């Protein structure tokens, strides 16, 4: 191993590493430790509290899947919200849907937004310009959601891991507040970590969301830079079933990972993942 390497300790006993060309930013924000590294294998990479959040090479998988599965399940999503996601990747995907009139991003850490604008322009493109359909708020997502009722068509939680500042974003009372903030046919999606290394979390979150939403489903995608590679998302929907759609009617989108077939297939779970939900 030569030169400078970055290493994320993914679990107590496992790490993932890559060689680093350049350290672009290293900063302690009011909320977390923030790094932007230029890596040989994945290009520029955003790291928060030591955990890889997104990289230029593989960001499309996560950002397309956390948004399009929900938005394409809704026939007419107009008012949409992302909690977290200060890098801008999810909202960039969201506004690919022409139905969306106002897409709001609520990020608690302004420094993440600023770092993304400066070092990850491909990802932050939608929050960097003055797009009239995009609203960026620097505030606590939990507080924001508690103030809304019967308001959003879609709520997406694009959080960090369930440690430190993000713990409250995996709590049942937060999910209940999201349920209230959604319209009668609203849809909610949260990133819910690795089926290999976060089994208890996935079980617990699925149970909590099922107790609130009549239709609760888990879907997966492959993100090479996240622990285990296989990543989970949990959806709560009040009316629309993401598996009972006329696939030929889905909105056509310019994407690299998401297709109507991938939408459908993402709900087909490996047995050990399906078993977590029983
Ligand atoms: N949010 C989920 C990142 C989780 C990765 N965990 C880890 N590397 N230990 C990503 C934010 C991208 N918008």
């Amino acid at each position: 191993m030569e030169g400078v390497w970055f290493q994320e300790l993914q679990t107590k006993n496992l790490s993932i590493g890559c060689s680093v060309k350049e350290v672009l930013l290293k900063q302690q924000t009011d909320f977390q430790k923030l790094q932007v590294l230029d890596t040989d294998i994945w290009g520029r990479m955003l790291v928060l509290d030591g955990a890889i959040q997104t990289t230029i090479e593989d960001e499309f998988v996560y950002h397309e899947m956390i948004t399009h599965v929900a938005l394409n399940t809704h026939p007419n999503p107009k008012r949409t919200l992302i909690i977290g996601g200060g890098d801008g990747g999810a909202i960039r995907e969201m506004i690919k849907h022409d139905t969306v009139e106002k897409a709001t991003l609520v990020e608690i850490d302004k420094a993440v937004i600023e770092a993304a604008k400066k070092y990850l322009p491909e990802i932050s493109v939608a929050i960097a310009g003055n797009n009239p359909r995009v609203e960026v708020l620097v505030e606590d997502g939990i507080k924001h959601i508690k103030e809304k009722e019967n308001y959003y068509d879609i709520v997406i939680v694009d959080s960090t891991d369930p440690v430190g500042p993000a713990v409250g974003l995996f709590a049942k009372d937060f999910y209940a507040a999201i349920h209230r903030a959604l319209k009668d046919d609203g849809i909610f999606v949260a990133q819910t970590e690795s089926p290999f290394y976060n089994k208890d979390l996935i079980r617990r979150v699925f149970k909590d969301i099922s107790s609130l939403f009549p239709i609760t489903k888990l879907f997966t995608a492959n993100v090479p830079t996240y622990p285990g590679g296989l990543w989970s998302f949990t959806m709560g929907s009040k009316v629309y079933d993401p598996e009972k759609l006329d696939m030929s009617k889905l909105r056509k989108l310019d994407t690299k990972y998401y297709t109507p077939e991938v939408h459908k297939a993402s709900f087909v779970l490996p047995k050990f993942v399906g078993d977590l939900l029983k």
Side-chain angles (χ1 to χ4, degrees):
M1 213 152 89
E2 264 173 61
V4 179
W5 278 63
F6 166 82
Q7 183 164 256
E8 172 183 339
L9 204 56
Q10 293 187 326
T11 79
K12 205 157 89 274
N13 310 104
L14 172 71
S15 77
I16 186 172
C18 65
S19 55
V20 174
K21 274 201 271 205
E22 195 183 345
V23 177
L24 297 170
L25 181 67
K26 198 170 178 177
Q27 180 188 359
Q28 177 64 47
T29 77
D30 291 343
F31 299 92
Q32 52 209 338
K33 184 176 159 210
L34 187 164
Q35 290 167 276
V36 183
L37 309 174
D38 192 8
T39 71
D40 290 295
I41 186 95
W42 298 313
R44 279 156 284 129
M45 173 166 97
L46 174 68
V47 181
L48 295 175
D49 283 340
I52 300 174
Q53 297 302 309
T54 199
T55 81
I56 294 296
E57 277 302 311
D58 75 346
E59 58 92 6
F60 65 97
V61 180
Y62 177 91
H63 291 134
E64 290 181 13
M65 291 302 280
I66 201 169
T67 51
H68 298 317
V69 177
L71 272 95
N72 248 349
T73 295
H74 196 296
N76 190 21
K78 287 188 193 150
R79 240 187 246 151
T80 59
L81 173 70
I82 294 163
I83 294 176
D87 52 77
I91 204 160
R92 179 196 65 200
E93 294 304 312
M94 213 168 224
I95 59 169
K96 288 183 180 172
H97 295 255
D98 294 332
T99 58
V100 172
E101 290 166 4
K102 180 64 122 331
T104 302
L105 178 91
V106 178
E107 164 65 55
I108 200 165
D109 194 344
K110 189 168 200 274
V112 174
I113 298 174
E114 295 309 322
K117 280 187 187 168
K118 183 149 183 215
Y119 296 106
L120 308 168
E122 305 90 331
I123 300 177
S124 61
V125 53
I127 54 173
N130 286 324
N131 190 324
R133 293 163 70 213
V134 172
E135 174 181 48
V136 179
L137 306 174
V138 177
E139 59 180 51
D140 180 355
I142 298 177
K143 183 171 163 285
H144 179 90
I145 206 76
K146 285 190 174 150
E147 287 161 359
K148 296 277 189 255
E149 216 181 300
N150 189 25
Y151 188 80
Y152 288 112
D153 297 302
I154 304 277
V155 173
I156 306 266
V157 179
D158 181 8
S159 70
T160 50
D161 295 335
V163 283
V167 170
L169 302 179
F170 292 85
K172 190 172 176 187
D173 60 337
F174 174 60
Y175 300 146
I178 290 174
H179 187 272
R180 272 193 303 279
L182 282 167
K183 291 193 189 144
D184 290 342
D185 61 349
I187 301 176
F188 157 54
V189 169
Q191 75 87 359
T192 46
E193 306 280 311
S194 158
F196 285 99
Y197 305 122
N198 303 86
K199 293 191 171 66
D200 290 344
L201 177 95
I202 290 176
R203 265 193 217 104
R204 202 261 299 151
V205 165
F206 194 84
K207 196 164 137 265
D208 288 350
I209 297 178
S210 305
S211 74
L212 295 159
F213 290 84
I215 299 165
T216 301
K217 304 242 163 140
L218 191 97
F219 60 98
T220 63
N222 291 288
V223 184
T225 52
Y226 290 172
L230 180 68
W231 206 247
S232 80
F233 303 85
T234 306
M235 176 190 288
S237 179
K238 294 191 182 181
V239 174
Y240 310 115
D241 187 330
E243 291 191 276
K244 292 190 188 135
L245 302 173
D246 180 348
M247 294 292 156
S248 67
K249 290 216 186 86
L250 298 188
R251 285 180 289 281
K252 301 272 176 297
L253 302 159
D254 180 17
T255 54
K256 287 204 279 181
Y257 189 92
Y258 179 89
T259 66
E261 290 76 21
V262 168
H263 176 119
K264 214 170 157 190
S266 69
F267 292 95
V268 179
L269 302 176
K271 183 159 185 308
F272 83 98
V273 183
D275 285 348
L276 297 175
L277 315 178
K278 284 184 189 142

